[in-house]
Amino acid sequence: MKVTHAKLLAQVPLLTDLPTELLESLAKSCRFEQVNRGHVIIERHDTTRRFFFLLSGQVRMLDLNRQGQEIALAILDAPTHFGELAVIDSLPRSASVQATTRCEVASISPQDAEKLIYTVPQVSRKIMQNMATVIRNNNLHRQVLQQQSISNRLAAYLLGQLPKDIDPKETVCIRNLPIQYDLSILLGTTRESISRALTTLVDEGLVTKDGKNLYLNDIPGLYQLLEED
Amino acid sequence: MKVTHAKLLAQVPLLTDLPTELLESLAKSCRFEQVNRGHVIIERHDTTRRFFFLLSGQVRMLDLNRQGQEIALAILDAPTHFGELAVIDSLPRSASVQATTRCEVASISPQDAEKLIYTVPQVSRKIMQNMATVIRNNNLHRQVLQQQSISNRLAAYLLGQLPKDIDPKETVCIRNLPIQYDLSILLGTTRESISRALTTLVDEGLVTKDGKNLYLNDIPGLYQLLEED
């Protein structure tokens, strides 16, 4: 049973490459849970400091602005980890983490988390690399939010999701587009505005929607839009 | 001479508490430079990976948005460090770093930087704590940028600069306010708009300006402004 748990943990990128004995000992100190869609795993401002591994499912990280509106900081898909900020700086939780699907999570105590993060060199290095990615993505997202119109914010967000080195003359598919609610809180607006902005981009022939896939038909046209802002 | 250098390095928070021998060996591998105001220490997109200590002076970290306008990510005052992202993830520089005053900087090679960051436990820990602070501040700044009007963005920025646990009924002084150019690129707007926004806040009796100091006379009034956005 614990072997299965260790194998589950080994799929989390932060823990891949760890020696089997370390994974097995980590699995023994983990608390494993299934949570339903909508369940709040971490409450913003809480002083809890457990460290989490998302083994299956998807979560959103949520903050509130000063007007009490939810804003999404990120959407995370399994397998991944979350909750390291409070472990590292001992401050209250910076964001709420809510399951957007049924999720399987494992968590360890703050003491075990500190030991893992600070004393296992490949984990320290990956935590730093991961935080570097978060900082770089934040800088990109800041540019998205500086766009005045919502359809331009959406265009900037979509362009930010493109893989590197695509051919801008081709149609590119963005799979698993977040639902309109998540897009609205990622882009600092309402679901209605996202719906209108999406319709605008579709009407202008820039994108085509097909279920959870969105096709960008005219990448130069989307960039053009941003230059007109 | 090298002893003086080691003592200079010891003032950088990242390096405080390191054993004297380590500081002296670090000082030996450092390149020390004086740079003038306006000098670009790191160019965005460069693939250089040196790690820097700012021993005196002030720098701004700059990004460009898709329209080619400069946006400031942060203003850093000595003593501090910068340039760790490229050391950690080996990607091109995420931002330019430009001296806003005459600065004294020390830098080490990528190899020495990796050794320092990954193999000295108290440095690893402080790098992680520092990155955690950057991530938390980015989340706050995101809320500032979601404000539609520039005077509200300025109000949100100023409230974000307040020390914790102040008495909101008192007047609070913000010392060393960044110059209007830096405020404009921090808040995603023009210098003229910052000037007008500042005049608006002064005319409404919310703030008073005195040289490089800005007095917040009415903190509840500034919060009120944000709720009306």
Side-chain angles (χ1 to χ4, degrees):
Chain A
M1 185 61 185
K2 290 297 177 196
V3 176
T4 318
H5 279 165
K7 279 190 186 155
L8 275 175
L9 290 176
Q11 289 169 21
V12 175
L14 184 69
L15 307 175
T16 316
D17 308 331
L18 289 191
T20 314
E21 319 83 75
L22 189 52
L23 282 170
E24 283 172 3
S25 119
L26 192 63
K28 279 193 201 114
S29 53
C30 271
R31 181 200 296 165
F32 290 84
E33 292 170 275
Q34 302 269 350
V35 303
N36 288 326
R37 180 178 163 212
H39 179 81
V40 175
I41 303 166
I42 291 179
E43 283 273 14
R44 185 169 168 266
H45 291 334
D46 255 19
T47 53
T48 59
R49 293 177 63 231
R50 289 186 78 79
F51 183 51
F52 292 85
F53 306 108
L54 181 64
L55 303 175
S56 70
Q58 188 194 59
V59 297
R60 59 169 79 98
M61 308 190 70
L62 288 172
D63 201 353
L64 293 181
N65 67 13
R66 294 192 193 275
Q67 288 78 51
Q69 294 159 333
E70 284 183 333
I71 53 175
L73 303 172
I75 310 286
L76 301 181
D77 289 291
T80 190
H81 63 274
F82 60 88
E84 70 275 28
L85 282 199
V87 175
I88 291 168
D89 65 15
S90 302
L91 292 174
R93 298 291 191 179
S94 63
S96 295
V97 179
Q98 184 181 33
T100 67
T101 63
R102 186 164 171 78
C103 290
E104 190 173 9
V105 293
S107 65
I108 54 177
S109 72
Q111 296 72 30
D112 288 333
E114 286 189 7
K115 204 171 139 206
L116 178 72
I117 289 174
Y118 292 134
T119 71
V120 183
Q122 62 258 62
V123 174
S124 306
R125 187 183 282 244
K126 281 187 184 173
I127 283 277
M128 285 188 227
Q129 286 168 345
N130 187 267
M131 290 173 92
T133 306
V134 170
I135 292 171
R136 287 185 190 260
N137 286 347
N138 279 347
N139 293 348
L140 283 178
H141 196 69
R142 185 176 293 207
Q143 296 182 22
V144 170
L145 291 178
Q146 288 190 3
Q147 295 288 330
Q148 301 277 340
S149 89
I150 304 304
S151 51
N152 284 18
R153 282 190 195 180
L154 182 59
Y157 170 80
L158 293 172
L159 291 169
Q161 302 303 302
L162 291 180
K164 287 176 183 50
D165 305 322
I166 49 121
D167 178 351
K169 290 189 294 293
E170 303 222 327
T171 290
V172 176
C173 176
I174 296 187
R175 292 178 202 284
N176 278 320
L177 189 72
I179 59 171
Q180 291 192 3
Y181 171 71
D182 283 321
L183 282 174
S184 74
I185 55 180
L186 273 171
L187 302 183
T189 183
T190 61
R191 183 150 59 174
E192 292 69 29
S193 301
I194 289 294
S195 174
R196 275 196 300 274
L198 207 46
T199 304
T200 304
L201 297 185
V202 169
D203 287 350
E204 292 181 6
L206 297 167
V207 307
T208 313
K209 210 169 170 311
D210 178 18
K212 288 206 88 177
N213 294 338
L214 191 82
Y215 295 90
L216 310 195
N217 307 319
D218 182 4
I219 292 172
L222 287 164
Y223 276 112
Q224 182 73 33
L225 206 64
L226 302 191
E227 276 160 30
E228 290 160 6
D229 191 56
Chain B
M1 186 60 185
K2 291 295 176 197
V3 176
T4 317
H5 278 166
K7 279 190 187 153
L8 275 175
L9 290 176
Q11 288 170 22
V12 175
L14 185 69
L15 308 174
T16 315
D17 308 330
L18 290 191
T20 314
E21 319 83 74
L22 188 52
L23 282 170
E24 282 171 4
S25 118
L26 192 64
K28 279 193 199 116
S29 53
C30 271
R31 181 199 297 165
F32 290 85
E33 291 170 275
Q34 302 269 350
V35 303
N36 288 326
R37 180 178 164 212
H39 178 80
V40 176
I41 303 166
I42 291 178
E43 283 274 12
R44 184 168 168 265
H45 291 334
D46 255 19
T47 53
T48 58
R49 292 177 63 232
R50 289 186 78 80
F51 183 51
F52 293 85
F53 307 108
L54 181 64
L55 304 175
S56 70
Q58 187 193 58
V59 298
R60 59 169 80 98
M61 308 190 71
L62 287 172
D63 201 352
L64 293 181
N65 66 12
R66 294 192 191 276
Q67 288 78 51
Q69 294 159 333
E70 284 182 334
I71 53 174
L73 303 172
I75 310 285
L76 301 181
D77 289 289
T80 190
H81 64 274
F82 60 88
E84 69 275 27
L85 282 199
V87 174
I88 291 168
D89 64 16
S90 302
L91 291 174
R93 297 292 190 179
S94 64
S96 296
V97 179
Q98 184 181 32
T100 66
T101 64
R102 187 165 171 78
C103 291
E104 190 172 8
V105 293
S107 65
I108 54 176
S109 72
Q111 295 72 30
D112 289 333
E114 286 190 9
K115 205 171 139 208
L116 178 72
I117 289 175
Y118 292 134
T119 71
V120 182
Q122 62 258 61
V123 174
S124 306
R125 188 183 280 243
K126 281 188 184 172
I127 284 277
M128 286 189 225
Q129 286 168 344
N130 188 268
M131 291 173 92
T133 307
V134 171
I135 292 171
R136 286 185 190 259
N137 286 347
N138 278 347
N139 294 348
L140 283 178
H141 196 69
R142 185 177 294 208
Q143 296 182 22
V144 170
L145 291 178
Q146 288 190 3
Q147 295 287 330
Q148 300 278 340
S149 90
I150 305 303
S151 53
N152 284 18
R153 282 190 196 181
L154 182 59
Y157 170 81
L158 294 172
L159 291 170
Q161 303 303 303
L162 291 179
K164 287 176 183 50
D165 306 320
I166 48 119
D167 178 352
K169 290 190 293 293
E170 302 222 328
T171 290
V172 177
C173 175
I174 294 187
R175 292 177 203 286
N176 279 319
L177 189 72
I179 60 172
Q180 290 192 3
Y181 171 72
D182 283 321
L183 282 175
S184 74
I185 54 179
L186 273 170
L187 302 183
T189 184
T190 61
R191 184 150 58 175
E192 292 68 31
S193 301
I194 289 293
S195 174
R196 275 196 300 274
L198 207 47
T199 305
T200 303
L201 298 185
V202 169
D203 287 352
E204 292 181 5
L206 296 167
V207 308
T208 314
K209 209 168 170 312
D210 178 16
K212 287 206 90 178
N213 293 339
L214 191 81
Y215 296 89
L216 310 195
N217 307 320
D218 182 2
I219 292 172
L222 286 164
Y223 277 112
Q224 181 74 33
L225 207 62
L226 302 190
E227 277 160 30
E228 291 160 5
D229 191 54

